[in-house]
Amino acid sequence: LNVADVIMNKTVQSPILGSYEITQRVLMVTVFAAFAYAQTKKTHINMTIVIVHFPRALRYILFSIMYVLSIYIAARLCMAAWGQAGTVIAKGMTTEVLYIPLFPFYYLEAIAMAVFTIALVYDLVLSIGAIFSNDYAEMIQKDWT
């Protein structure tokens, strides 16, 4: 969309109205939705190069602590996005060119972060189970490289 906008602006002096703000909003929703998807596919980067050499219990205790910290941050981001949506509604904020209301995008961000938080909680439960069970440990560690 942005490339088409630039090309149209340079060739026929007729840019696509609001292309930049449409791109901004679509990118915002896409990025936040990708967090949960990446978590379910185990594509987030985990620094397992060191802890893989620790005894199983210590390895998964540390891994669980990493999940607890991630859950805290994701939940706070969810709450912040929800709060920002309320602020945007109260102020009646819209995009600058097309006057698209901003609040739905913040609600979508909050929902995406809530789903991400739930995925992290699920993985935390598995990680805690791996402290005591070789089966869970193998299931988790198969994704480590």
Side-chain angles (χ1 to χ4, degrees):
L1 184 61
N2 288 348
V3 171
D5 178 45
V6 170
I7 290 171
M8 288 183 63
N9 191 27
K10 298 297 180 187
T11 58
V12 293
Q13 283 72 40
S14 179
I16 299 170
L17 187 64
S19 65
Y20 182 70
E21 64 188 30
I22 291 169
T23 304
Q24 278 183 311
R25 301 300 149 205
V26 169
L27 184 61
M28 173 186 168
V29 172
T30 304
V31 166
F32 283 102
F35 287 142
Y37 178 76
Q39 185 63 31
T40 61
K41 296 298 182 185
K42 306 296 183 247
T43 56
H44 284 292
I45 297 171
N46 287 312
M47 301 307 287
T48 56
I49 194 166
V50 174
I51 67 170
V52 73
H53 301 291
F54 293 169
R56 186 188 76 225
L58 179 58
R59 178 183 325 146
Y60 288 104
I61 287 170
L62 293 174
F63 207 59
S64 296
I65 290 169
M66 287 189 285
Y67 272 124
V68 168
L69 294 172
S70 296
I71 290 166
Y72 173 76
I73 292 168
R76 293 290 300 201
L77 284 170
C78 176
M79 293 172 9
W82 196 268
Q84 184 66 21
T87 300
V88 165
I89 288 173
K91 293 183 178 183
M93 295 175 70
T94 62
T95 59
E96 295 82 18
V97 178
L98 298 177
Y99 303 109
I100 300 168
L102 292 177
F103 72 89
F105 300 101
Y106 288 106
Y107 281 132
L108 287 172
E109 175 189 348
I111 291 166
M113 291 309 295
V115 172
F116 179 45
T117 303
I118 292 166
L120 289 170
V121 169
Y122 173 77
D123 287 338
L124 171 64
V125 170
L126 292 179
S127 186
I128 290 171
I131 295 170
F132 308 103
S133 166
N134 281 331
D135 293 336
Y136 284 123
E138 289 174 14
M139 183 172 62
I140 292 171
Q141 205 163 330
K142 72 177 173 56
D143 297 316
W144 294 0
T145 56

